[in-house]
Amino acid sequence: MAPRIAILGAGIFVKTQYIPRLAEISDLVSLKFIWSRSEESAKSAAEVARKHFADVECVWGDNGLEQIIKEDSILGVAVVLAGQAQVDTSLKLLKAGKQVIQEKPAAANISEIENALSRYNSICPDPPGQPIWAVAENYRFEPAFVECKKLIAEIGDMMSVQVIVEGSMNSSNPYFSSSWRRNFTGGFILDMGVHFIAGLRMITGCEVVSVSAITSHIDKTLPPPDNISSNFQLENGCSGVFVMVVSSRSPKIFWRVVGMKGTLQVERGNQDGRHGYLVTQYGADGQSKSMFYPFSGVTEELKAFIHDISEAKKGINHVPEPRSSFLEGARDVALLEAMLESGSKQGALVHVKKF
């Protein structure tokens, strides 16, 4: 029997991503509950879900949450709430013995991460018995980044890394008016930025040790800061730049690693009407080869979580997918927080907190 799960949250991302992606893998999972704080939003999300999961129930408020917690048949819960509410809700579920996949960012800042980790470890200090706490970071599951991780060795010793993000967070974007992102320290830089940092860490296979950044606030329709330019140093000694513009008139996103024997680049784009990433490898001989990988990271991360909760139920010492671990999500946040801190100190060198 397919494991039963619940979704907490009924916003845009649940309706446009979670429900359709779970529908693609409905042979692997059964969606039993959708919860929201309000009855109205729970009902509207459940209506969308019923097209694929006829038996889904909607519940709301404190009583609805208690119902999910007490329901023994629910193995896993997806927490897709406002960033400020996610960690406390996740910990409440973990304490009740549920397996959790929580949307990114892992937490709002380093102090919340440290507090969360100590609370998580106090629930059950030993990994075999610990409930799974996954953070949904689809970039670590995108086939383009998985492929780049394999190809990186072929370009030889790294000399330079560039991550250029010119985003399109304007009033036509459905997330533009999202109030929780506007009340988040770091605003869209933190909420969107964790993705691009995850991509950087995935491709290079290396942690960033220190940063120096300049931040600015130019577009007053966006929360501050809306621009960041950072130099960073990887633990292997290689340096790089991370540039992020939250809202550009001409969006462009790419990661580029220059090595002694060639260069590797991942660029966001679309081919034949499908959105995804173009991976290009430039060789020492001047030749290049490219492959396009359509987006499938959300589906892949959900598949991994469903596999993990199914294995954990068998009671064997199953090691959950490391790419989804709370620690991985925490490392993305720690790096962005270091950049934002450096920006607030006019570019002072800041060492990245290690987890």
Side-chain angles (χ1 to χ4, degrees), residues 73 103 129 271 324:
S73 71
E103 253 313 307
Q271 218 172 71
S324 306

Side-chain angles (χ1 to χ4, degrees), residues 102-167:
Q102 174 203 305
E103 253 313 307
K104 57 86 210 162
N109 49 49
I110 288 169
S111 62
E112 187 177 38
I113 289 167
E114 289 174 329
N115 179 23
L117 284 169
S118 75
R119 285 167 67 191
Y120 180 44
N121 291 328
S122 72
I123 292 167
C124 182
D126 300 318
Q130 245 182 354
I132 296 163
W133 191 2
V135 169
E137 179 43 79
N138 51 308
Y139 281 44
R140 281 191 257 278
F141 289 84
E142 290 295 349
F145 292 103
V146 174
E147 186 56 27
C148 280
K149 198 175 168 67
K150 295 176 196 160
L151 294 173
I152 198 78
E154 294 178 21
I155 63 166
D157 291 342
M158 281 181 219
M159 298 196 289
S160 169
V161 184
Q162 299 166 50
V163 183
I164 308 294
V165 180
E166 297 165 15

Side-chain angles (χ1 to χ4, degrees), residues 8-294:
L8 304 191
I12 304 163
F13 202 67
V14 167
K15 289 176 179 168
T16 62
Q17 287 294 327
Y18 270 78
I19 293 167
R21 299 297 80 82
L22 286 168
E24 287 170 12
I25 51 172
S26 58
D27 56 325
L28 303 176
V29 67
S30 163
L31 178 60
K32 186 73 184 103
F33 289 110
I34 289 186
W35 175 92
S36 182
R37 277 177 314 209
S38 76
E39 179 179 355
E40 188 188 354
S41 57
K43 282 182 171 169
S44 78
E47 207 172 299
V48 176
R50 278 198 193 102
K51 294 176 190 132
H52 313 285
F53 300 96
D55 301 332
V56 71
E57 292 177 46
C58 62
V59 291
W60 54 89
D62 293 344
N63 292 344
L65 188 56
E66 279 309 310
Q67 195 178 334
I68 289 171
I69 285 172
K70 289 189 175 124
E71 179 62 65
D72 290 337
S73 71
I74 298 294
L75 290 187
V77 182
V79 177
V80 195
L81 302 171
Q84 293 87 338
Q86 294 198 126
V87 170
D88 277 346
T89 308
S90 295
L91 283 160
K92 188 173 184 175
L93 292 158
L94 290 160
K95 201 170 179 184
K98 301 293 185 200
Q99 320 281 13
V100 170
I101 183 166
Q102 174 203 305
E103 253 313 307
K104 57 86 210 162
N109 49 49
I110 288 169
S111 62
E112 187 177 38
I113 289 167
E114 289 174 329
N115 179 23
L117 284 169
S118 75
R119 285 167 67 191
Y120 180 44
N121 291 328
S122 72
I123 292 167
C124 182
D126 300 318
Q130 245 182 354
I132 296 163
W133 191 2
V135 169
E137 179 43 79
N138 51 308
Y139 281 44
R140 281 191 257 278
F141 289 84
E142 290 295 349
F145 292 103
V146 174
E147 186 56 27
C148 280
K149 198 175 168 67
K150 295 176 196 160
L151 294 173
I152 198 78
E154 294 178 21
I155 63 166
D157 291 342
M158 281 181 219
M159 298 196 289
S160 169
V161 184
Q162 299 166 50
V163 183
I164 308 294
V165 180
E166 297 165 15
S168 55
M169 185 49 68
N170 55 43
S171 56
S172 64
N173 189 302
Y175 298 100
F176 178 77
S177 53
S178 149
S179 58
W180 76 258
R181 289 173 177 86
R182 292 178 168 272
N183 300 328
F184 221 51
T185 306
F188 288 106
I189 295 261
L190 183 67
D191 176 57
M192 292 159 60
V194 286
H195 282 319
F196 311 117
I197 295 298
L200 161 68
R201 293 179 51 242
M202 179 97 179
I203 295 169
T204 59
C206 218
E207 297 299 343
V208 174
V209 287
S210 61
V211 300
S212 168
I214 301 293
T215 49
S216 61
H217 188 207
I218 311 292
D219 182 346
K220 300 298 190 252
T221 66
L222 292 163
D226 65 330
N227 296 279
I228 188 162
S229 299
S230 177
N231 290 327
F232 61 80
Q233 185 169 27
L234 294 167
E235 61 192 356
N236 65 5
C238 177
S239 65
V241 292
F242 176 87
V243 175
M244 184 171 169
V245 178
V246 172
S247 186
S248 157
R249 295 279 171 252
S250 50
K252 188 177 180 70
I253 298 172
F254 68 87
W255 294 253
R256 189 174 169 94
V257 183
V258 183
M260 288 280 286
K261 298 185 204 160
T263 296
L264 198 54
Q265 179 169 301
V266 189
E267 182 165 5
R268 189 136 156 195
N270 58 60
Q271 218 172 71
D272 309 322
R274 295 180 306 169
H275 289 272
Y277 298 99
L278 184 69
V279 175
T280 308
Q281 186 179 0
Y282 302 88
D285 54 3
Q287 301 292 309
S288 70
K289 52 180 185 187
S290 292
M291 265 291 288
F292 184 78
Y293 297 88

